[in-house]
Amino acid sequence: MSKKVAVYRKEHFNAAHRLYNPAWDMAKNDAVFGKCNNPSFHGHNYELIVKVTGIPDPETGYVMDMKILSDLIRDHVLEKFDHKNLNLDTEYFKALNPTAENICLVIYDLLREKIDPALDLQVRLYETERNFVEYPA
């Protein structure tokens, strides 16, 4: 079989963050990030969709075992981000602004190193029902 198939895993996590650039004064941060620059932080109910694409294995019929994918997401994303303040509680955003774009890129990197390089990986992250980012685009 040489036909590629995409498999998807949807997960959910809650996290707080603050968008700001420490090199800017409060006025500029407010102008650029608005309410998202709240010094007391704010939170989101993120929805994560991980897409893995490849040719199904001729012996198993799997592109990737979904239990393994679920475990990878739990261990390498949810355990690190769920119910956390991304700015304060994670190493990833100590010096990186935790925008949806940057969160998506970090999640991609965390999973990419754990998933067979022969498989294509795409991460879609919904920050709200109407706002989402995707990598690679």
Side-chain angles (χ1 to χ4, degrees):
M1 179 181 285
S2 63
K3 295 179 180 176
K4 284 190 173 187
V5 176
V7 297
Y8 298 80
R9 177 71 186 182
K10 184 190 297 189
E11 294 288 351
H12 181 88
F13 65 95
N14 303 309
H17 69 160
R18 176 185 181 200
L19 302 184
Y20 75 104
N21 183 330
W24 299 345
D25 64 19
M26 190 60 132
K28 184 166 183 180
N29 273 292
D30 281 340
V32 173
F33 299 116
K35 292 179 183 179
C36 295
N37 178 43
N38 181 346
S40 297
F41 305 92
H42 69 283
H44 295 282
N45 298 312
Y46 291 96
E47 184 172 282
L48 173 66
I49 300 174
V50 176
K51 174 184 176 184
V52 178
T53 306
I55 298 169
D57 181 279
E59 293 180 0
T60 65
Y62 290 160
V63 170
M64 179 175 190
D65 184 323
M66 295 299 279
K67 172 70 169 110
I68 292 171
L69 181 58
S70 175
D71 291 347
L72 288 173
I73 295 168
R74 183 194 65 231
D75 294 346
H76 299 286
V77 178
L78 303 182
E79 290 291 326
K80 295 176 184 199
F81 298 155
D82 189 34
H83 285 82
K84 301 287 198 271
N85 180 313
L86 299 177
N87 301 76
L88 303 178
D89 299 334
T90 71
E91 62 188 80
Y92 309 99
F93 302 104
K94 296 285 186 198
L96 180 64
N97 206 7
T99 61
E101 294 89 338
N102 283 335
I103 298 166
C104 187
L105 290 170
V106 167
I107 291 170
Y108 176 89
D109 288 344
L110 289 169
L111 295 174
R112 180 71 276 179
E113 65 187 30
K114 305 293 181 193
I115 293 173
D116 182 342
L119 300 173
D120 295 326
L121 173 66
Q122 186 177 54
V123 173
R124 178 180 284 186
L125 182 68
Y126 285 82
E127 190 172 65
T128 69
E129 273 186 24
R130 296 182 203 150
N131 297 333
F132 65 94
V133 297
E134 189 172 78
Y135 181 78

